[in-house]
Amino acid sequence: MDIPVAGYGEAAMHVACMLGRRFSVVLFNPALRDLIEEEIARAGLAARAAPHALVDAEYGDVVDA
């Protein structure tokens, strides 16, 4: 039996597309850049994606915020 699954990243990108023409992803880990780009392409949203923003923060900083 197939069960549809939506990850929070894909869901967030689709919601962002409902709210505006384009969306961007804020990254704090540069190692995730390729993974995020692949996810955007797999969801068929590359034409709607603006450039990513990389913030200078550690994982702990994000958790604390």
Side-chain angles (χ1 to χ4, degrees):
M1 176 166 71
D2 292 332
I3 300 172
V5 176
Y8 63 86
E10 181 180 358
M13 289 185 279
H14 282 285
V15 169
C17 286
M18 290 190 305
L19 298 174
R21 288 183 176 170
R22 300 185 78 194
F23 69 94
S24 181
V25 176
V26 177
L27 299 167
F28 63 91
N29 182 347
L32 295 177
R33 183 182 310 249
D34 291 342
L35 181 66
I36 296 298
E37 289 179 3
E38 290 172 12
E39 181 73 18
I40 291 169
R42 202 173 15 255
L45 299 173
R48 306 272 307 265
H52 309 317
L54 179 63
V55 295
D56 185 21
E58 299 291 326
Y59 180 77
D61 298 330
V62 175
V63 171
D64 291 344

